Amino acid sequence: TQLLEQSPQFLSIQEGENLTVYCNSSSVFSSLQWYRQEPGEGPVLLVTVVTGGEVKKLKRLTFQFGDARKDSSLHITAAQPGDTGLYLCAGVPGTYKYIFGTGTRLKVLA
Amino acid sequence: ETGVTQTPRHLVMGMTNKKSLKCEQHLGHNAMYWYKQSAKKPLELMFVYSLEERVENNSVPSRFSPECPNSSHLFLHLHTLQPEDSALYLCASSQDVAGRGYTFGSGTRLTVV
């Protein structure tokens, strides 16, 4: 069974701090996606990384795909309260059969 | 209206009731999905429709019955549910089934009493 483990599960930080969320698997994926889910809403796609070692930036968010395409990280610089939410990674094996991670619940305090 | 719209947003039903969840997408996508999101568990894929044809039933109990009358609409018919079926039910759509990323609806929070 393919699994994607995210760490940490919970993170509570002060506004302005930096943080990194990790997504790890023993399986290789053709691509990996990150979603953010706010309370009462569905997940929203943030980014897709495709190439091993790829780094993508979305304003203060930096996403990296591991060289072996088994893991990924999300780094947030100078976190803001608007970054609060559940961050989900999803491993894509090349079809719709995504493997979703267990999620990291982030709370940024003003 | 754009995106993926789900109704109702909240639903409380008894174990002997029959109810339906509705999903509508205005994106011109060809694939639609039902997911179940429970606390402390990863998102669970339930059903997949591609061009109105069901391509996946991920071992879902028969008390959940999907229907896709056209490429823009997806329903999940519910009957004789159990309390453990209480969860957030998410509908999603994508351009195709090749794994290019989902657009999710806001979900229906279902409580079975």
Side-chain angles (χ1 to χ4, degrees):
Chain A
T1 305
Q2 292 179 304
L3 286 173
L4 263 180
E5 298 209 7
Q6 287 186 239
S7 60
Q9 287 187 40
F10 300 96
L11 193 53
S12 180
I13 61 171
Q14 293 292 326
E15 183 177 3
E17 292 184 5
N18 302 332
L19 67 117
T20 302
V21 175
Y22 299 93
C23 176
N24 295 295
S25 176
S26 57
S27 303
V28 176
F29 296 104
S30 63
S31 65
L32 193 138
Q33 297 173 354
W34 284 92
Y35 293 80
R36 180 171 67 210
Q37 184 176 16
E38 298 184 18
E41 298 297 329
V44 174
L45 179 64
L46 297 174
V47 77
T48 301
V49 284
V50 179
T51 308
E54 181 177 4
V55 176
K56 279 193 174 178
K57 291 193 175 185
L58 186 66
K59 296 183 181 177
R60 294 174 294 98
L61 279 59
T62 301
F63 304 86
Q64 182 160 10
F65 201 11
D67 291 341
R69 305 206 318 276
K70 294 182 180 181
D71 52 78
S72 181
S73 63
L74 157 60
H75 183 78
I76 302 179
T77 303
Q80 299 177 1
D83 296 325
T84 293
L86 177 67
Y87 288 81
L88 296 167
C89 64
V92 184
T95 70
Y96 56 82
K97 296 193 179 188
Y98 290 27
I99 308 298
F100 277 90
T102 47
T104 293
R105 196 166 295 279
L106 171 65
K107 188 167 186 178
V108 182
L109 304 169
Chain B
E1 197 170 348
T2 60
V4 178
T5 304
Q6 288 187 245
T7 54
R9 292 294 304 270
H10 301 273
L11 178 62
V12 180
M13 60 185 289
M15 288 191 283
T16 58
N17 290 161
K18 287 186 180 181
K19 296 286 184 184
S20 296
L21 310 185
K22 180 183 176 183
C23 176
E24 187 173 357
Q25 59 100 359
H26 305 272
L27 300 166
H29 286 169
N30 292 317
M32 296 187 77
Y33 312 78
W34 281 116
Y35 271 90
K36 177 182 179 182
Q37 187 174 34
S38 307
K40 299 180 182 179
K41 292 174 75 174
L43 279 166
E44 298 173 61
L45 179 63
M46 299 176 71
F47 300 104
V48 180
Y49 279 83
S50 175
L51 297 171
E52 301 152 48
E53 204 172 305
R54 193 194 310 179
V55 297
E56 179 83 24
N57 175 345
N58 200 20
S59 303
V60 180
S62 59
R63 57 186 184 270
F64 295 91
S65 175
E67 179 189 0
C68 187
N70 55 62
S71 60
S72 299
H73 293 86
L74 186 64
F75 295 88
L76 188 62
H77 304 298
L78 315 171
H79 64 99
T80 59
L81 294 192
Q82 305 297 312
E84 59 265 29
D85 296 322
S86 298
L88 181 68
Y89 288 85
L90 290 163
C91 173
S93 71
S94 62
Q95 185 61 53
D96 51 39
V97 291
R100 300 182 215 267
Y102 294 136
T103 301
F104 282 93
S106 298
T108 295
R109 173 68 62 186
L110 173 68
T111 303
V112 181
V113 297

